[in-house]
Amino acid sequence: MTNLQGKVAIVTGGAVGIGAAITKELAQNGVKVVINYNSSSQAAESLVASIKENGGEALAVQADVSNSDQAAKLVSAAVDTYGQLDILVNNAGITRDRSFKKLSEEDWRKVIDVNLNSVYNTVSPALAHISQSDAGRIISISSIIGQAGGFGQTNYAAAKAGMIGFTKSLALELAKSSVTVNAICPGFIETSMVAEIPENVLEQIVAKIPQKRLGQAEEIAKGVLFLCKDGAYITGQQLNINGGLYM
Ligand code: NAD
């Protein structure tokens, strides 16, 4: 088991939703967390304050991770502040759901940029630092949609499937090092992203989930903690946390 006390993590999009749950879980386990946000500055600052009140260490850093210069500055801020980087959680993501006939080039590029190109943008500057860790972890929050596809989600499914291919390939390249590379594929999790789905559509989705409920952000955070703490021999995998919706 890896002792996480004093380890340093970056969580992209870590101020709200699944990212905030991951941030809290890691902080509760002694990890110094760099909470990246794009526009949610208030949420990020209040999360930093609450982690500090509970005796943890945290830092909020604004960066649009779809921009490579800003992603590089995010990594520098983490290393300059805490002197090391052990864990990178690529969580930032957006949807722009439209059937392919209605999908604009901008809808395509934006979703690929924020969900997939951001992974390149963060891993690229982070890898040299994470490689120095005795238990480096690169974890990308992909999606069930990247595995099974989704109506009106060609852009999002392509980005999330791309994250899985990236994960397997980088895992192979780093297998001889102490760095593991994995993806988590959540099903439908109760956050603002799922709140965008019309209620009648969501009811139909829940009816198809074998466990008959949406997942909670904390249930994804527990998966991240497991990979960080107990995942030394787990690499190149997709951890499905989806109530049985995709097997
Ligand atoms: P959310 O909308 O609550 O959170 C998304 C986060 O990404 C926010 O913090 C947002 O500020 C951040 N973000 C967006 N664009 C960014 C950018 N350019 N730079 C930096 N940060 C940016 O949604 P969520 O449900 O918490 O989603 C978190 C991740 O989980 C996403 O990658 C999403 O695709 C994935 N996911 C969610 C679900 C679900 O059902 N909620 C299912 C599968 C996968």
Side-chain angles (χ1 to χ4, degrees), residues 12-20 36-40 63-67 90-95 110 114-115 118 141-145 156 160 163 184-194 196-197 217 220:
T12 69
V16 301
I18 292 172
N36 158 249
Y37 66 93
N38 188 23
S39 53
S40 336
D64 172 354
V65 290
S66 69
N67 176 297
N90 291 306
N91 166 77
I94 57 164
T95 51
K110 187 76 187 163
V114 175
N115 294 277
S118 63
I141 309 302
S142 173
S143 171
I144 191 172
I145 303 300
Y156 186 73
K160 293 303 192 185
M163 291 167 89
I184 292 184
C185 297
F188 289 85
I189 310 301
E190 209 169 345
T191 67
S192 62
M193 188 175 274
V194 159
E196 286 172 21
I197 301 173
I220 306 305

Side-chain angles (χ1 to χ4, degrees), residues 66 92 117 148 170 193 228:
S66 69
N117 291 336
L170 189 64
M193 188 175 274
C228 290

Side-chain angles (χ1 to χ4, degrees), residues 39-85:
S39 53
S40 336
S41 68
Q42 242 183 334
E45 292 302 346
S46 76
L47 194 49
V48 167
S50 93
I51 289 170
K52 286 185 172 167
E53 271 167 31
N54 289 306
E57 284 197 52
L59 172 75
V61 179
Q62 194 282 329
D64 172 354
V65 290
S66 69
N67 176 297
S68 56
D69 290 339
Q70 292 186 35
K73 282 185 191 150
L74 165 66
V75 171
S76 298
V79 176
D80 291 349
T81 305
Y82 295 125
Q84 67 191 69
L85 181 61

